[in-house]
Every structure is written in C-alpha cells, then in structure tokens.
Amino acid sequence: MKRAGIAILLCLSLCGCSWRDAGDLSPVTAGAITRDNGAYLLTAELAVPNPDSAVPQSITVTGAADSIAQAIDNAGAGRDAQLYWSHARVLLLGTDILRSGMRETIRALTVSSEVRPSVRLCAVKNAQADTVLTTCASVSGDPPGFALGDSIDLAVKQSQAPDMPLYRVLDRVESDGIDPVLPAVSIEGEQAVLDGAALFSGDVLCGWLDKAQTGVLCLLMQTGDRAAVYDTSTRYPLTGIDPVVRADASAFTVTITASLSCEDRTQAEQAAEALRVQCVQVIRTLQETGCDALGFGRTWAEQHSSSEIDWRTAPVTVRVTLRGTQSAEGGSR
C-alpha cells in the first residue's frame, strides 16, 4: 500500500491537503461494476486515512441503484467522507454487462462528473467483477485494484495489453468504426492478473484472446513503443514497429516492419516467419468473431462500398520485415 499511499498523498498535497486534514474526501483507487436485474452494483476500493500512519488503509464499499450516478452516491452513503474518483486507476466491468452490451454503461460513466475519462476499463473473466477488489490479496502492500493499474501501465508500454481508457472506448462504441478490445482480468490463486483480452463486435462481447494472441494484436494495433515475438522458447524484442493495413480489390495486405535484437540473419528470418504466422491466426480470429479491432471493416467499406464480399471472409496476406541488429545478449534477450 505504500506506493499507493505516497502517490495519492502527493496529489492531495499539491492541492494543499494532507491525509490528516483531507476531511471529507475518500480517494477511490479502483472500481467494479456489474448489473443484477437491471440495477447497477458498484464496488469502490478506497484509500482511507489512517490516524496511526501516513500510509492510508484500503477498504471496499458498495452501492446499488438504477443509475451509475446514484450507485456512486449510494456507495459513499453512511461515510463521513465523499468518494473522490479522480485517482481511480481502473474500472472492472462484469461479463453480465459485456454480454448484453456495454453502450449504456459507457455513456453513463462518461456523463458522470465523478469519473475521469482517462480511467482504464477492463473485462473480468471467469469471476464476478467485485470479487477482484474484495477477495484478492494485496500485491507488495498495494491493494489489488491499484496494483492492477500498475500492471496495465507496464503491459501497455510492452504491447501486452490494449490501452482502453473510458474516452477511447466511448469513441469506438459510438462511432461504429473500429471495435474496442479490453484487457481481460482473472483471479489466479489470490491475485488479480491480466489474462489476455476481451473482443467486441460493436459494444457486445464476442470472444476472448489468450495472453500470446493479445500480444500479437497489440503489436498490430501498435499499442506500445516496444513488443516481442516468441518462436518456441525464444523471445525476440522488437522496437520501431510500423504495421500498415491496405485493401485491394479482394483482399487485405498487412505489412509489418520493425527492428529486432538478434544474433544473426537466420534468427531474424525465423522470428519474421513466426510473427507472420501468429498475425494471420489472430486476424482470422477477429474475422470469425466479427471484432473489427484493426479497422478492416471500415477500410473495406471505404474501398468497396458496393462489394458483396464481407470483410470477415476476405483473404489476408501478412508480410513481415525485421531489421536485425546485433546485441550482446543475442536474440534470446
């Protein structure tokens, strides 16, 4: 909890506050939202001032209502302090919301002045969303929601998780253009862990990707400034990633160029072929589920407004060019 306390303490100090005189504020570090018989159930992970320490305690509170705004108010009911959402790292959405369509929930969160538009959204897999915050153990002293925020930050930079803040999800849901892809979270033992990605067709959950497939999709989406390709047990780090998608009369062509740290040209060729195969497999999954996360459907519509060929059945060719650079550690770095 120490890093969470220090980070939030710093933010409050910049506003002229401290934990001992914060008064009517209880900072929220993470939230979880599910629906039951039409009502929203919202669970908030709070950082609460500790009178015996400069480091706050972590607790959870829950509120239920027919609207997001009222559920937020109800979660803070009975407390002396108002819930303060500007420090929330993640919002966890239950599969009950995702399977029925998350458009209404996303709109409600966006119009709520309580929730900042940059908070990242996650899909909870094989568990109730609230249990991630209420039953998972802390990580190095940090509450599960705050620690999960750290994990997502790192994973996005390494192209291992999609970067999906609230405002971007809303844009994709409302524009009917490129579909959203949310980081998936599951419970492993007593810890909340990243577990691939949730695919959407419009605003409705349509499939899942495992961790390896998610890394390939994030590389295609150019989520982070670096990535990696795996060939059996060997990991090849990539930088300078540049994926380009083109549509011709009857097919898509995806061209990927990147710089690769490796031992020799043979390794670069092996890594390029491994990445090509993996990209084809992930793209086929997108086509099969109808998740237009790469904008194939939109590109196809722009190029072929009168075509009878659906983007989900169009052939895809992937070309990979890796510029090999020598490294002291070699390709297995």
Side-chain angles (χ1 to χ4, degrees), residues 32-36 41 91-102 105 122-132 182-186 195 197-200 203-208:
I33 306 173
T34 59
R35 295 201 77 170
D36 183 19
L41 180 66
L91 279 179
L92 307 168
L93 302 182
T95 52
D96 48 349
I97 291 176
L98 307 180
R99 290 189 177 121
S100 61
M102 62 178 176
T105 301
C122 297
V124 179
K125 183 179 180 182
N126 300 326
Q128 291 295 319
D130 60 312
T131 60
V132 174
L182 298 187
V185 176
S186 64
D195 190 12
L199 303 178
F200 291 84
D203 70 327
V204 178
L205 179 68
C206 63
W208 303 90

Side-chain angles (χ1 to χ4, degrees), residues 24 26-28 42 44 46 61 72 75-76 79 81-85 114:
D24 60 350
S26 281
V28 177
L42 181 143
L46 308 182
V61 295
I72 290 175
R79 294 191 54 79
Q82 178 184 355
L83 303 191
Y84 183 61
W85 283 82
E114 303 289 342

Side-chain angles (χ1 to χ4, degrees), residues 24-307:
D24 60 350
L25 296 179
S26 281
V28 177
T29 52
I33 306 173
T34 59
R35 295 201 77 170
D36 183 19
N37 295 323
Y40 286 103
L41 180 66
L42 181 143
T43 300
E45 179 184 83
L46 308 182
V48 180
N50 184 347
D52 300 322
S53 172
V55 178
Q57 297 174 331
S58 175
I59 67 170
T60 57
V61 295
T62 300
D66 293 333
S67 70
I68 290 287
Q70 190 59 52
I72 290 175
D73 289 343
N74 291 348
R79 294 191 54 79
D80 294 334
Q82 178 184 355
L83 303 191
Y84 183 61
W85 283 82
S86 291
H87 294 303
R89 306 286 299 281
V90 295
L91 279 179
L92 307 168
L93 302 182
T95 52
D96 48 349
I97 291 176
L98 307 180
R99 290 189 177 121
S100 61
M102 62 178 176
R103 188 186 305 268
E104 178 184 338
T105 301
I106 299 304
R107 284 175 174 170
L109 287 168
T110 303
V111 300
S112 173
S113 60
E114 303 289 342
V115 182
R116 63 177 180 171
S118 60
V119 65
R120 286 189 170 122
L121 301 186
C122 297
V124 179
K125 183 179 180 182
N126 300 326
Q128 291 295 319
D130 60 312
T131 60
V132 174
L133 303 181
T134 59
T135 66
C136 288
S138 63
V139 180
S140 301
D142 289 336
F146 194 92
L148 189 59
D150 279 351
S151 297
I152 294 175
D153 284 344
L154 179 60
V156 166
K157 293 176 183 177
Q158 296 180 339
S159 299
Q160 295 299 308
D163 187 12
M164 284 291 156
L166 175 60
Y167 70 86
R168 183 169 296 146
V169 176
L170 176 70
D171 178 68
R172 297 198 173 186
V173 166
E174 297 282 56
S175 67
D176 294 323
I178 301 177
D179 291 327
V181 178
L182 298 187
V185 176
S186 64
I187 298 176
E188 187 176 292
E190 295 184 348
Q191 302 291 345
V193 297
L194 290 175
D195 190 12
L199 303 178
F200 291 84
S201 179
D203 70 327
V204 178
L205 179 68
C206 63
W208 303 90
L209 295 181
D210 63 23
K211 293 179 181 179
Q213 293 169 328
T214 300
V216 173
L217 178 58
C218 290
L219 184 151
L220 289 167
M221 295 168 63
Q222 203 171 356
T223 300
D225 55 8
R226 57 189 183 276
V229 57
Y230 292 85
D231 181 18
T232 59
S233 60
T234 304
R235 175 183 182 273
Y236 298 105
L238 303 179
T239 56
I241 306 160
D242 183 21
V244 178
V245 179
R246 293 186 176 89
D248 57 24
S250 60
F252 291 104
T253 301
V254 179
T255 303
I256 301 172
T257 57
S259 297
L260 165 70
S261 294
C262 60
E263 293 177 349
D264 51 39
R265 181 175 179 179
T266 299
Q267 275 199 334
E269 292 173 349
Q270 291 173 342
E273 176 60 15
L275 179 57
R276 185 194 68 80
V277 171
Q278 293 165 18
C279 286
V280 170
Q281 293 172 341
V282 168
I283 292 171
R284 284 175 178 168
T285 299
L286 296 180
Q287 290 179 307
E288 291 168 0
T289 59
C291 175
D292 192 17
L294 296 174
F296 280 1
R298 186 169 69 175
T299 300
W300 195 261
E302 292 171 352
Q303 297 289 330
H304 313 286
S305 58
S306 61
S307 175

